[in-house]
Structure formats: C-alpha cells, structure tokens
Amino acid sequence: MSSTAADVVRLLTVKGETLAVAESLTGGMVASAITAVPGASKAFRGSVTAYATELKREMLGVDAALLAARGAVDPQVAAQMAAGVRKTLGADWGIATTGVAGPDPQDGQPVGTVFVAVDGPFGADDGSASGGKVEALRLNGDRAEIRMESVRSVLALLLRELAGEQTGNERAQDTERNGGF
C-alpha cells in the first residue's frame, strides 16, 4: 500500500495536481497512507472523515434523498463523496470510501460491501471537466482486513486514473490487443 501511496504522490506532484480524500469506513486511513509519504504536502489538500451519514450530506454535499432511499453504502454515494470533497477542498482529484467493515451489516448491505470512487479532470486538457468512476468491492476478512483492502483499492483506482491520463493512448492500445472489445 505504501508504494501505491508513494506512486500517487509522485504522479500528482509531477503533474502539479492536488488530491482531497473523503472517508467513511476507512476512518482516516487513506489520508494517513498519503501523508506517510515524504513530500505529500506538495499534492495533498486534506481530508474529511464523514463517518456519520448526515455528515456526508452536510460536509460533502451528498444528496439527502439518495441517502434516505439507499443509505450510505451505495455507489452513487461514493461518487458524490469524491466529487464533494474535491469541490469542498479545492482539489484536482477527489477520492472516497464508503462501505461495511463489520461486525454487523449496515443499510441492508452485508459486511465486506465497499464502494471506492475517484473524481477528477478526466480527459480535460484544461482540468475543468469533471467525471467520476466507482468500483464495487466484495471483500472477505475481518474488520481490519476489509478496511486495509479498501485503502489499497481506492489508491489503486486513483493510480490507474493518474497513470492512464499520463500515458494517453494506453486504453486505445489495450482495446486493439483485445480484438476491439
């Protein structure tokens, strides 16, 4: 995980871009992984640990109707958390974690259900366009293992987006190698 965090900080620094983090089930672990990297202050703006559901609405701008209908463990909630922290903290990139680490199910979702999201300037030369990506995870293990894997997964998702942006034609080449699909 620390090498992934280091790669994230390095790429953000090289690109002159910044990161903000919104966390629920990981409770600050993503921010901790980032800030453990020497030089992180060049790229890391800050984080919001919105553990309580109402804080996701109040601090991150997650839609109240969405939270009421689906609860906090939802892919759209993760996407809105990432977009909200990006906007609130004025960063180029926002990432978010929400899910159920256990020991009990939450919002009708079983333990190990996690959503990680990234929001950033996808494909925009001027950095103005916004877009988000969400990954659904079904994790096994105890509470600590689920939280650690959530941190690793959200950092890996961001790293793929940062690296994909840097290499430009990576996705097009991948499509060619796989017969166009």
Side-chain angles (χ1 to χ4, degrees):
M1 178 177 57
S2 59
S3 65
T4 304
D7 288 344
V8 162
V9 169
R10 181 183 53 78
L11 277 176
L12 286 167
T13 302
V14 165
K15 294 164 66 91
E17 294 179 344
T18 56
L19 173 65
V21 176
E23 300 186 66
S24 186
L25 85 149
T26 49
M29 293 169 62
V30 177
S32 179
I34 295 285
T35 59
V37 177
S41 61
K42 293 178 184 137
F44 186 63
R45 296 274 303 153
S47 66
V48 172
T49 300
Y51 212 62
T53 299
E54 68 270 14
L55 294 180
K56 292 171 181 64
R57 177 181 49 80
E58 294 168 7
M59 299 183 76
L60 299 171
V62 176
D63 182 67
L66 174 64
L67 288 168
R70 298 197 192 156
V73 182
D74 181 81
Q76 282 184 273
V77 170
Q80 289 185 18
M81 287 173 65
V85 79
R86 178 182 179 214
K87 181 180 178 186
T88 300
L89 299 186
D92 297 299
W93 295 89
I95 58 176
T97 63
T98 188
V100 186
D104 301 313
Q106 178 187 337
D107 296 333
Q109 298 283 0
V111 172
T113 302
V114 175
F115 298 97
V116 296
V118 60
D119 188 82
F122 298 107
D125 291 336
D126 64 0
S128 63
S130 178
K133 296 191 180 193
V134 179
E135 210 169 78
L137 309 172
R138 297 290 180 258
L139 304 176
N140 295 313
D142 64 20
R143 182 175 170 78
E145 291 167 328
I146 290 168
R147 295 174 77 217
M148 288 299 291
E149 183 58 23
S150 299
V151 173
R152 191 204 64 74
S153 295
V154 77
L155 290 174
L157 177 61
L158 176 59
L159 185 60
R160 284 192 304 274
E161 295 308 319
L162 289 169
E165 234 190 32
Q166 187 139 335
T167 58
N169 290 335
E170 182 179 74
R171 287 185 184 97
Q173 291 170 357
D174 187 57
T175 301
E176 286 177 20
R177 279 196 303 272
N178 291 312
F181 295 99

